[in-house]
Amino acid sequence: MTLLHTPPDALPADWYGAAPAPIGVDQAFNGYVAATVVHTLDRLGVWDRLAAEPRLDLADFVRSAGPAVRERVVREVMRAAAVCGWLRLEDDGDTAVLTDAGRETLRMRGYFTWAVGGYSDVFSGAARLATGEATFGDTLLRDEAMVALGSGQNDRSFMSTTLDDVLDGIDFRTLADLGSGISARVSRVVGARPGTRGLGLDISGPATELGHRTIAEAGLQDRVRAIRADVLDVCHREAHHDAIAEVDTVMSFFLLHDLLADPATRPHLFTRLREAFPAARTFVLADTMLRPEAEGSATLPVFSLGYELAHALMGVPLHTKETYEDLFAAAGLHPVRTVPFGTPHSWLYVLEAR
């Protein structure tokens, strides 16, 4: 996704909102280790196997995973998952059984793909960022493919149903997905709507490459294209001009805060977006917004702290729901529907251009 940089003084003073109850040292340490276990199980394909069949023979799994896979390491990771309560080991440790807690963790694994897979180097490099030994985007990077994959997993787990409900009320022929990641969302939406076409636009090369694979696996090469491009400059590329000119509906999910990062261009962002897609009359936009200062929650919801800290370290400010709505109005985009969207403090808007 496009990332613009702003100076640290652009970050709001109330960035972290109301303080919840303190997190215990045991929770902090064990949570860190447990998060790596969740991500390891995902990378090994264990969660996918357990989703298909909640009993897993470990020896069979290791054999099917390939000759290079080390059974001892797999068993130790599975044992750690059992200590966390996500699995129950039976038959002297040879069979892993998914628990109810494990089903919930499996459903929410996208958060861990995003954090551990995508941002672990950024989080662990916070001290180097603070001392000037590292610079984000230069000597310190996030894993863009893992960020995109985690977003896709979360979409399938608890956003797709809401999006499908919203899109059922929209008549579109050509749909553009801005910051499309691996093009999973646009492929799913177009695949379910015969006669439609789609574009997946993302500035990340690795994510776009994964997008080509996603589209091919869905058998949609004749209807969906993954394009590596800055979403606001794509209209100036001759190679994509005809495809862009056909877009009547634009959607974007969890990209807007990056596009709003530069205070110089922020007031005109949505006007530029309309200019980039001149035939578009419907915009389906969603983002995670700044946690309200007066929220007063006793505990931190999943994702919020990581989302806020990651973007603070990257120098990308977050904005309130009210700020988004003011910017929409200034660009002549009028909300016709607003619904909560999956992750905490996330909202989905259907806007009409007038």
Side-chain angles (χ1 to χ4, degrees), residues 60-75:
D60 286 346
F61 171 77
V62 170
R63 281 194 294 271
S64 66
V69 174
R70 296 169 176 167
E71 182 171 351
R72 178 189 64 80
V73 177
V74 171
R75 286 181 176 273

Side-chain angles (χ1 to χ4, degrees), residues 297-320:
S297 176
T299 59
L300 281 170
V302 66
F303 186 59
S304 291
L305 180 62
Y307 181 79
E308 292 165 353
L309 179 58
H311 287 84
L313 295 175
M314 293 187 293
V316 179
L318 302 181
H319 304 283
T320 65

Side-chain angles (χ1 to χ4, degrees), residues 174 244-250 273-283 353:
T174 303
I244 293 298
E246 295 178 358
V247 172
D248 54 59
T249 299
V250 173
L273 191 60
R274 291 188 61 178
E275 293 169 349
F277 298 91
R281 291 294 174 265
T282 303
F283 292 78

Side-chain angles (χ1 to χ4, degrees), residues 102-124:
R103 289 185 182 89
E104 178 67 2
T105 303
L106 189 160
R107 188 176 74 91
M108 303 183 82
R109 60 178 161 161
Y111 288 123
F112 299 88
T113 303
W114 179 92
V116 181
Y119 280 99
S120 60
D121 286 349
V122 177
F123 291 140
S124 64

Side-chain angles (χ1 to χ4, degrees), residues 29-354:
F29 184 85
N30 293 331
Y32 171 78
V33 176
T36 66
V37 171
V38 175
H39 183 59
T40 301
L41 294 180
D42 188 62
R43 293 292 79 214
L44 289 172
V46 171
W47 289 127
D48 285 334
R49 290 285 295 272
L50 288 170
E53 172 54 55
R55 295 182 65 87
L56 182 64
D57 183 290
L58 297 190
D60 286 346
F61 171 77
V62 170
R63 281 194 294 271
S64 66
V69 174
R70 296 169 176 167
E71 182 171 351
R72 178 189 64 80
V73 177
V74 171
R75 286 181 176 273
E76 288 301 326
V77 174
M78 300 292 271
R79 186 178 71 82
V83 171
C84 293
W86 303 322
L87 307 174
R88 185 173 64 254
L89 295 178
E90 299 180 349
D91 303 325
D92 293 327
D94 290 332
T95 303
V97 181
L98 189 65
T99 66
D100 289 342
R103 289 185 182 89
E104 178 67 2
T105 303
L106 189 160
R107 188 176 74 91
M108 303 183 82
R109 60 178 161 161
Y111 288 123
F112 299 88
T113 303
W114 179 92
V116 181
Y119 280 99
S120 60
D121 286 349
V122 177
F123 291 140
S124 64
R128 291 187 290 127
L129 288 171
T131 60
E133 297 173 73
T135 301
F136 179 78
D138 182 14
T139 54
L140 190 61
L141 304 172
R142 61 182 176 178
D143 188 320
E144 294 175 342
M146 287 294 101
V147 172
L149 179 60
S151 297
Q153 289 173 327
N154 278 350
D155 171 55
R156 292 189 296 274
S157 290
F158 42 78
M159 297 176 191
S160 59
T161 300
T162 300
L163 178 59
D164 289 345
D165 176 64
V166 167
L167 292 179
D168 280 345
I170 299 173
D171 182 20
F172 69 87
R173 297 292 296 175
T174 303
L175 180 72
D177 186 8
L178 313 185
S180 58
I182 62 173
S183 291
R185 183 183 292 108
V186 67
S187 295
R188 182 179 60 79
V189 171
V190 170
R193 189 82 68 95
T196 62
R197 303 175 68 83
L199 301 177
L201 306 175
D202 202 286
I203 202 169
S204 166
T208 303
E209 287 303 312
L210 287 174
H212 293 311
R213 188 186 313 169
T214 300
I215 293 166
E217 289 174 352
L220 293 170
Q221 298 97 315
D222 59 333
R223 295 171 54 202
V224 181
R225 292 169 59 188
I227 299 171
R228 182 183 182 186
D230 184 310
V231 298
L232 295 180
D233 293 333
V234 69
C235 59
H236 301 299
R237 298 190 178 195
E238 285 297 323
H240 310 307
H241 182 269
D242 291 344
I244 293 298
E246 295 178 358
V247 172
D248 54 59
T249 299
V250 173
M251 65 180 184
S252 181
F253 303 92
F254 310 107
L255 170 68
L256 299 179
H257 56 275
D258 286 334
L259 298 179
L260 290 167
D262 187 343
T265 59
R266 186 179 304 145
H268 313 294
L269 170 68
F270 295 109
T271 299
R272 289 183 62 196
L273 191 60
R274 291 188 61 178
E275 293 169 349
F277 298 91
R281 291 294 174 265
T282 303
F283 292 78
V284 183
L285 306 178
D287 209 356
T288 301
M289 300 172 189
L290 187 64
R291 198 157 35 106
E293 183 180 8
E295 183 183 34
S297 176
T299 59
L300 281 170
V302 66
F303 186 59
S304 291
L305 180 62
Y307 181 79
E308 292 165 353
L309 179 58
H311 287 84
L313 295 175
M314 293 187 293
V316 179
L318 302 181
H319 304 283
T320 65
K321 186 169 180 282
E322 291 74 19
T323 297
Y324 280 84
E325 292 173 353
D326 288 344
L327 292 170
F328 293 152
L333 295 174
H334 299 270
V336 296
R337 190 171 181 187
T338 306
V339 295
F341 197 48
T343 57
H345 308 299
S346 301
W347 295 92
L348 175 65
Y349 289 84
V350 178
L351 305 125
E352 291 183 352
R354 297 179 185 173

